[in-house]
Amino acid sequence: MDAALALFSEKGFAATRMDEVAAKAGLSKGALYLYFPDKVALLKTLVQETAGSVIGAAALMMAAHEGPVSPLLPLILGFVAEKLETSNIAAVIKLVLSEGRAHPEIGKAYLENVIGRAFPLMEGLIARGVAGGEFRAVDAGMVVRSFIAPMLLAAFWKSTFEPLGAAPLSVRALAAHHADLIVRALKP
Amino acid sequence: MDAALALFSEKGFAATRMDEVAAKAGLSKGALYLYFPDKVALLKTLVQETAGSVIGAAALMMAAHEGPVSPLLPLILGFVAEKLETSNIAAVIKLVLSEGRAHPEIGKAYLENVIGRAFPLMEGLIARGVAGGEFRAVDAGMVVRSFIAPMLLAAFWKSTFEPLGAAPLSVRALAAHHADLIVRALKP
DNA sequence: TTTTAGTGACTGACTGGTTAGTCATTAAAA
DNA sequence: TTTTAATGACTAACCAGTCAGTCACTAAAA
């Protein structure tokens, strides 16, 4: 699956040959078909296993938190940034956004299980801050999009532009700087 | 080229058949090869023609502006948001980010001509605001990424998730709301 | 101990369907 | 008539998925 992720992210799903995946994994193509019924199943498994792990941890983080919301925002972005830098989740995000429409089952699953869970949780958090007088009256939905968007940019920077020779981006630094901007912008 | 863009964005470059592009354009495949030497040339032309038009207008906007920077920020985001909503540039962005690594010539051209031009211009703008005492002392590079990222999110929302049934996103509203957040966050 | 039987992960040549790009030919315009 | 535009059948290559067979290893039987 690591081999497949690297190749899918580099060349695109359709342009990646099963022979290549097998070779990179140190197997023959036949052996691949002992573990995955077909090519799409490989993609699907890949996305589901990776996506599931992160959302769970982040949800836990938000649910467990009590008291003022402001200190939680840099923690959330820091957590995501760390995942982006130390795992291959950036490649998975690129894969889902790139191939999600061509493989609706995968795209819809991500929309429902990841975005559909994470966005409402974060919106609730922002709304809590507003209700408690900690934040100005803002549109929680819009704030969540503003809040999370730089992590999307970072994912593509790492998986598309850095391999092309672009200057490396410190995702952690961006996360910290951005969280600070948002917290300031939300002050009453 | 409209036909090609729609299909490349929907199914991915490698999975799109030249016959389909031709059919959608109301031509035969042979006729397509009268205008484009091969499939990659079609993709390349597509990206270059679209990308060039927007960066030029935005650069003009920034270069022409004098006086305080704050009022310019919502104008820039509003301009980009309007392009995202009324043209098919969202699909081009998706295409570049998805296929840029597999076709380095395209990816690098975008990195140099679009990102490499737009980012320094915007950084200069932020730096000007800081120098003039209009903004706090911030990292201009980080601010630019925070500033532009929601437009990237919007591009993928429109080209990947809305076709899968996700709730439509008002890019203009997001742009306005986000510009307001950033301007507030930059206040000394 | 040696032989026989069995297992299952793995291989790689093969097939059938698919598709980028070509080109001889036709149709329309000048 | 000549030139330009367009067609669509064709080819050569490619690749997902298959399957008959290999081989290292285990365990029961002799």
Side-chain angles (χ1 to χ4, degrees), chain A residues 27-28 30-31 34-35:
Chain A
L27 282 175
S28 70
L34 295 175
Y35 299 105

Side-chain angles (χ1 to χ4, degrees), chain A residues 59-83:
Chain A
L60 208 70
M61 216 167 150
M62 285 186 254
H65 189 82
E66 292 189 8
V69 178
S70 301
L72 188 54
L73 298 185
L75 291 181
I76 294 173
L77 279 197
F79 173 76
V80 175
E82 201 237 315
K83 286 281 174 192

